[in-house]
């Protein structure tokens, strides 16, 4: 499944999935899916145009009454079958995810795919627990209760860094709540999103419930967000693009969920386990080659541990094995493209004027020269207000800065526009608890950085967006809350009518 010929065979009918079938796009423009480890083309397909978006939305709208009218148990049963199909095809998903993204196969096999299967199983169960307030007589004369109802056709846009997981994060809570969805994956990494939709069909989820349009953001993406029959938009991507999505969505009075950029601080207090912090920093900074909104990007280390931390991180980074993503021994794959590699390298090159590149800071040569590889990089001595500290790099680059007091460490951690994730490292319960309270981020880990679980929400503060993926909290995005009130008196004229009819 992992070579280009088989992928071409699988998607010979096109890279749009509408109403339960693959079909070609109608934009008249073609796009190449490229393996970033080799530069080789995996698949060439025709991009979606506005007509494809219209067709997908129409299919989702047609499927909505039946799917939203199914019982929670029926939706849950279908989604449990969905999880089983994904588990049966786990190897194929891992190989294709590695192929289109350059992910090390061990990351795809041990993180992306099992996480997606678990997420599917979680939402299969959660479909039966759409709860509101219990019925009660709050004013004495009426019984009130709250219904949660599906809202309609969802139009979602997912990024290229975790194509399979992001497809799951968008699709699963939407359909568990009874909605139907049109998902636009990134055009450079559409393959596992398409496979995910096909697996939904194989599991018996009705045609039109899950649709995929693979097109450019300016065409397919903006048309999807602005479509009059789309009632809600969920977007994961950069803050800059998120602002454009918000402009379009709000102009049509759509519900909006945004999961945007990050610049996660990694705060190491002077009583921390140094070895744990060093290992955590390297793992947290380099996961997915640093192409992760929650990756550790800014390490703030209290001065007594600073020098040892810098030395330890640099030494450990130098042991990380770059290589062929299909090799189980490979630790770090390429960036998603040569353009992204060059963007990351430019950040580091500009930083050299005012900071020290302790290790890395270059692309490897030799057998890896054809791929979009970049060595794990540690930068020290940068100023807090410098570009490399403030801006999202999205690559295998960690910047380390010292701090003196706890107040200063927490202040520096909060001193960027972003607030998606953070971590605090300390043996002191009270110190760690203070950090979790005062760091402004949607997730704060203590003595670890990166783990996520289906049961807990994911989403940010500030310029990192609003709303939640995963967990039952995500249903807040995908359901309408309705208050239902019954009169219990059977009296024609109520006391409050006097305010309208007078005292007659």
């Amino acid at each position: 499944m992992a070579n280009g010929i088989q992928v071409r065979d699988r998607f010979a009918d096109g890279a749009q999935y509408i109403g339960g079938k693959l079909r070609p796009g109608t934009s008249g423009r073609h796009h190449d899916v490229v393996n970033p480890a080799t530069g080789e083309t995996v698949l060439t397909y025709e991009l979606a145009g506005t007509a494809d978006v219209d067709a997908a939305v129409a299919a989702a709208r047609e499927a909505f009454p039946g799917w939203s009218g199914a019982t929670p148990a029926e939706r849950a049963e279908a989604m449990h079958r969905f999880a089983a199909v994904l588990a049966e095809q786990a190897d194929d998903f891992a190989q294709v995810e590695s192929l289109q993204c350059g992910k090390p196969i061990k990351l795809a096999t041990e993180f992306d795919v099992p996480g997606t299967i678990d997420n599917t199983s979680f939402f299969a169960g959660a479909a039966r627990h759409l709860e509101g307030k219990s019925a009660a007589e709050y004013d004495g004369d009426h019984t009130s209760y709250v219904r949660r109802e599906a809202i309609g056709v969802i139009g979602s846009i997912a990024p290229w860094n975790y194509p399979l997981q992001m497809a799951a994060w968008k699709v699963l809570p939407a359909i568990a709540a009874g909605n139907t969805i049109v998902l636009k994956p990134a055009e450079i990494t559409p393959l596992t999103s398409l496979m995910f939709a096909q697996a939904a069909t194989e599991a018996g989820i009705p045609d039109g419930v899950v649709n995929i349009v693979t097109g450019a953001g300016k065409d397919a993406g903006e048309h999807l967000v602005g479509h009059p029959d789309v009632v809600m938009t969920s977007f994961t991507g950069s803050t800059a693009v998120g602002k454009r999505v918000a402009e379009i969505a709000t102009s049509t009075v759509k519900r909006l969920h945004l999961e945007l950029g990050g610049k996660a601080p990694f705060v190491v207090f002077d009583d921390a386990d140094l070895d744990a912090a060093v290992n955590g920093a390297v793992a947290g900074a380099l996961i997915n080659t640093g192409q992760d909104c929650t990756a550790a990007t800014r390490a703030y280390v209290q001065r007594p541990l600073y020098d040892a931390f810098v030395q330890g991180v640099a030494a450990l980074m130098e042991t990380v094995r770059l290589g062929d993503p299909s090799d189980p021994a490979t630790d770090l794959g390429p960036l998603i493209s040569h353009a992204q590699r060059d963007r990351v390298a430019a950040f580091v090159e500009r930083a050299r004027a005012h900071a020290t590149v302790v290790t890395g800071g270059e692309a490897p040569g030799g057998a890896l020269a054809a791929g979009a590889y970049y060595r794990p990089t540690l930068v020290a001595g940068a100023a807090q207000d410098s570009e490399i500290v403030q801006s999202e790099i999205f690559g295998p680059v960690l910047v380390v800065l010292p701090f003196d007091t706890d107040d200063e460490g927490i202040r520096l951690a909060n001193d960027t526009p972003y607030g998606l994730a953070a971590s605090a490292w300390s043996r002191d319960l009270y110190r760690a608890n203070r950090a979790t309270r005062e760091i402004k981020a949607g997730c704060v880990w203590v003595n670890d950085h990166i783990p996520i679980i289906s049961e807990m929400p994911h989403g940010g503060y500030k310029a990192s967006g609003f709303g939640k993926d995963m967990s039952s909290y995500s249903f807040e995005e995908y359901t309408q809350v309705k208050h239902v009130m019954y009169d219990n008196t059977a009296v024609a004229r109520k006391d409050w009518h006097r305010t309208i009819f007078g005292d007659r």
Side-chain angles (χ1 to χ4, degrees):
M1 186 70 196
N3 65 63
I5 298 297
Q6 290 170 308
V7 167
R8 292 187 185 106
D9 289 345
R10 177 154 189 165
F11 299 107
D13 292 333
Q16 317 302 324
Y17 197 74
I18 299 172
K21 295 180 178 59
L22 284 171
R23 53 188 265 184
T26 61
S27 69
R29 293 183 294 114
H30 289 78
H31 187 83
D32 293 337
V33 177
V34 176
N35 180 348
T38 63
E40 296 174 350
T41 296
V42 174
L43 177 72
T44 299
Y45 68 93
E46 190 169 359
L47 290 163
T50 57
D52 303 301
V53 174
D54 291 342
V57 172
R61 187 178 180 186
E62 182 179 355
F64 177 73
W67 183 247
S68 62
T71 66
E74 289 168 338
R75 288 199 296 270
E77 184 180 355
M79 293 183 70
H80 279 301
R81 293 195 302 267
F82 189 10
V85 172
L86 294 172
E88 291 168 4
Q89 300 177 11
D91 288 345
D92 285 352
F93 274 99
Q95 290 176 43
V96 176
E97 192 79 334
S98 176
L99 181 71
Q100 69 176 352
C101 300
K103 289 178 187 284
I105 191 64
K106 66 178 179 179
L107 179 65
T109 301
E110 297 177 23
F111 184 76
D112 297 71
V113 174
T116 300
I117 295 168
D118 182 74
N119 215 225
T120 308
S121 295
F122 170 81
F123 278 107
R128 301 183 75 159
H129 297 282
L130 286 168
E131 296 178 347
K133 283 188 177 180
S134 299
E137 290 68 47
Y138 294 98
D139 71 352
D141 290 337
H142 301 82
T143 297
S144 288
Y145 67 90
V146 168
R147 290 176 55 89
R148 283 195 178 273
E149 297 180 350
I151 58 177
V153 177
I154 312 300
S156 292
I157 300 176
W160 48 257
N161 57 332
Y162 289 102
L164 177 59
Q165 285 197 315
M166 293 299 99
W169 286 18
K170 300 303 181 195
V171 169
L172 295 172
I175 67 171
N179 303 288
T180 57
I181 188 168
V182 179
L183 172 71
K184 192 199 89 64
E187 60 269 32
I188 60 176
T189 55
L191 303 181
T192 49
S193 299
L194 292 163
M195 292 168 62
F196 189 71
Q198 289 177 308
T201 299
E202 290 177 43
I205 292 175
D207 294 348
V209 172
V210 180
N211 306 275
I212 308 292
V213 289
T214 306
K218 283 289 186 182
D219 301 321
E222 292 198 0
H223 190 62
L224 177 62
V225 174
H227 199 288
D229 290 334
V230 169
V231 299
M232 181 253 183
T233 290
S234 177
F235 170 80
T236 296
S238 71
T239 298
V241 177
K243 290 178 181 177
R244 175 59 181 157
V245 169
E247 289 174 2
I248 299 170
T250 53
S251 70
T252 54
V253 199
K254 283 182 174 51
R255 188 179 293 200
L256 183 62
H257 164 222
L258 297 175
E259 197 267 90
L260 306 176
K263 191 69 178 175
F266 186 101
V267 183
V268 182
F269 295 100
D270 58 13
D271 67 335
D273 181 326
L274 178 63
D275 187 47
V278 166
N279 281 273
V282 174
L286 300 185
I287 187 170
N288 204 35
T289 317
Q291 299 167 129
D292 187 310
C293 300
T294 64
T297 59
R298 300 177 289 140
Y300 296 103
V301 184
Q302 207 151 23
R303 208 168 293 271
L305 295 185
Y306 178 79
D307 289 340
F309 180 87
V310 171
Q311 293 168 11
V313 168
L316 187 55
M317 278 187 169
E318 289 166 6
T319 71
V320 172
R321 300 165 296 185
L322 280 69
D324 178 356
S326 66
D327 184 346
T330 292
D331 298 321
L332 199 73
L335 289 142
I336 192 65
S337 66
H338 285 83
Q340 179 66 12
R341 191 271 310 276
D342 293 346
R343 178 181 179 276
V344 170
F347 270 101
V348 176
E349 291 308 306
R350 291 191 294 270
R352 290 183 191 275
H354 58 81
T356 301
V357 177
V358 181
T359 190
E362 62 182 5
L368 301 181
Y373 290 88
Y374 196 74
R375 293 195 185 283
T377 300
L378 180 65
V379 177
Q384 174 65 17
D385 62 356
S386 63
E387 174 193 54
I388 202 164
V389 174
Q390 293 292 322
S391 299
E392 187 172 34
I393 300 170
F394 229 55
V397 179
L398 176 65
V399 184
V400 59
L401 299 89
F403 69 91
D404 291 304
T405 66
D406 289 16
D407 288 349
E408 181 188 15
I410 292 172
R411 178 180 61 78
L412 292 172
N414 286 328
D415 184 28
T416 71
Y418 300 105
L420 186 59
S423 62
W425 297 73
S426 174
R427 291 184 172 98
D428 186 317
L429 174 65
Y430 298 99
R431 207 176 202 181
N433 274 343
R434 180 193 175 189
T436 65
R437 291 193 308 271
E438 296 185 14
I439 293 176
K440 304 304 181 186
C443 174
V444 181
W445 292 284
V446 176
N447 296 328
D448 208 342
H449 194 109
I450 287 298
I452 54 175
I453 50 175
S454 297
E455 292 83 357
M456 288 290 113
H458 177 87
Y461 284 36
K462 303 188 291 186
S464 292
F466 48 83
K468 299 300 179 186
D469 287 309
M470 297 202 301
S471 82
S472 295
Y473 290 97
S474 64
F475 286 138
E476 301 297 329
E477 318 302 327
Y478 296 101
T479 57
Q480 184 66 266
V481 173
K482 177 185 287 185
H483 171 215
V484 178
M485 179 180 266
Y486 284 90
D487 170 59
N488 292 326
T489 66
V491 174
R493 180 165 293 187
K494 311 293 193 291
D495 284 345
W496 71 269
H497 290 178
R498 290 178 301 146
T499 61
I500 310 301
F501 303 142
D503 295 325
R504 301 191 297 279

